[in-house]
Amino acid sequence: MKQHWLSFELEMITEPAYECIKLTGRLAYDTQLAAEQKLLVAAAAVKRRLVVIDVSGLQFLDSTGLAFLVRFFKQVVSANRAMAMIVRDNAVLKKILLIAKLDRLLPIVADEQELLSLPPLRSPDSIGQEELYSAWQQCRS
Amino acid sequence: MVRCKASEEAIAFCDLIAEQTACLFAVRDAELFVLAVHEAIVNAVKAVRRLGLNEGTILLFFSITDDEVTVAVEDDGDGIPKEMFKQLGRKTLSDVLLAESGRGLLLIHEIMDMTAVVERADGRRTLVMKMQRAQQRPF
């Protein structure tokens, strides 16, 4: 987890079935001002029912960053949307998310394919967080 | 021992030192070791800022044996609040699942093999933590 970049970047990509928000750089105490501003703008710009946060490009994530992810999750869910996280091959990020128990809040999957193969996502336009999470839990067990 | 002014620069500098230490002395989990040290330093910087000390400093100590790396973090502020440390062992990361703060110390406790707070003579507290070294080492 090389973390010499003192920056945080966010890119939003609208896919047919979901909105993907790609995070790169550091999501940490020292990038909190940029992160707060960018995540706020992103939360307001979300149009799709399903929001996918791709954290695989994050080089460092600390407790401040985790708090931002939780706050963003709460904003998404309170707007009746559903959210999942994609980690790809970023094993360190996945480990931190699991230590923080975020897998008790939302699906943490390897990639889009794994997410879109979950049964309720056959109709992603009407998906709710509870439905998405329980489908993921069933696939896990 | 490293002494720095409590600032963002200090956090970045201590992160780099923790990375090099983790690599050189082959701790059990280098990335998590760096995260734990980072969290301790951020706590220290926050403690200094809470007291409004413009020139306040933080201190980072390392002690290395054949088996483990010990890290101690002190600050010119009030250190880790006593109530917060008392919650360790009783509170877990599951208890703060939806919280937007309060994970730092719990992460340190979860990651490191040992975490303790030592009361200094002046009443302030030093955070001490240890991580085992891996069997396979570069030297």
Side-chain angles (χ1 to χ4, degrees):
Chain A
M1 192 163 54
K2 293 285 173 201
Q3 42 147 330
H4 300 178
W5 300 95
L6 292 177
S7 69
F8 167 76
E9 296 301 331
L10 181 153
E11 185 190 4
M12 219 163 152
I13 301 161
T14 303
E15 299 286 355
Y18 58 90
E19 210 104 43
C20 181
I21 298 172
K22 289 187 176 192
L23 310 182
T24 51
R26 286 173 69 95
L27 184 51
Y29 181 76
D30 39 37
T31 56
Q32 61 181 316
L33 290 178
E36 188 165 24
Q37 199 178 24
K38 288 175 184 176
L39 284 167
L40 204 65
V41 171
V46 167
K47 297 282 184 289
R48 296 271 187 274
R49 190 75 186 248
L50 177 62
V51 181
V52 176
I53 307 287
D54 184 346
V55 294
S56 64
L58 284 180
Q59 290 159 318
F60 191 72
L61 174 67
D62 70 359
S63 63
T64 306
L66 285 164
F68 277 124
L69 292 176
V70 168
R71 186 187 302 175
F72 190 79
F73 168 78
K74 291 198 287 192
Q75 286 171 334
V76 167
V77 172
S78 68
N80 284 323
R81 302 182 199 282
M83 180 171 142
M85 273 189 207
I86 285 180
V87 290
R88 300 190 201 284
D89 58 355
N90 194 332
V92 176
L93 245 290
K94 185 179 178 184
K95 193 158 48 178
I96 294 168
L97 294 173
L98 295 182
I99 288 173
K101 315 280 187 212
L102 292 203
D103 59 324
R104 294 188 184 178
L105 284 181
L106 75 171
I108 298 172
V109 296
D111 50 32
E112 293 87 347
Q113 204 177 0
E114 186 185 340
L115 182 68
L116 295 174
S117 69
L118 296 176
L121 294 194
R122 287 172 198 145
S123 56
D125 286 343
S126 59
I127 187 90
Q129 186 64 36
E130 214 170 299
E131 192 186 0
L132 174 69
Y133 186 73
S134 75
W136 178 63
Q137 285 290 67
Q138 278 171 22
C139 285
R140 263 179 124 191
S141 60
Chain B
M1 183 190 88
V2 179
R3 183 192 289 271
C4 313
K5 186 179 168 190
S7 65
E8 265 76 11
E9 263 182 0
I11 296 170
F13 181 54
C14 292
D15 283 355
L16 283 173
I17 295 172
E19 267 183 38
Q20 296 302 313
T21 305
C23 181
L24 189 63
F25 298 107
V27 292
R28 175 178 52 75
D29 191 318
E31 285 88 3
L32 293 185
F33 176 86
V34 174
L35 176 59
V37 175
H38 168 90
E39 292 294 343
I41 296 294
V42 168
N43 274 342
V45 170
K46 283 180 180 173
V48 171
R49 287 180 175 170
R50 265 199 304 271
L51 292 189
L53 303 170
N54 287 334
E55 297 302 316
T57 59
I58 57 166
L59 278 160
L60 175 64
F61 301 86
F62 288 98
S63 166
I64 292 111
T65 67
D66 276 349
D67 300 324
E68 61 195 16
V69 174
T70 303
V71 185
V73 177
E74 275 184 24
D75 58 72
D76 285 346
D78 49 7
I80 292 173
K82 210 169 191 172
E83 320 79 64
M84 201 189 279
F85 194 75
K86 274 183 181 171
Q87 288 179 344
L88 280 184
R90 278 187 282 146
K91 211 173 184 182
T92 68
L93 284 156
S94 301
D95 299 319
V96 292
L97 210 49
L98 284 167
E100 293 179 22
S101 63
R103 279 186 188 79
L105 197 56
L106 295 172
L107 274 176
I108 295 172
H109 189 63
E110 187 75 30
I111 289 169
M112 300 302 267
D113 297 317
M114 190 284 288
T115 317
V117 169
V118 177
E119 292 260 6
R120 301 187 318 227
D122 58 6
R124 288 190 252 175
R125 288 170 287 276
T126 302
L127 178 63
V128 182
M129 52 199 174
K130 291 181 181 186
M131 185 179 273
Q132 295 292 314
R133 296 177 64 186
Q135 294 301 312
Q136 289 188 333
R137 299 173 188 177
F139 302 105

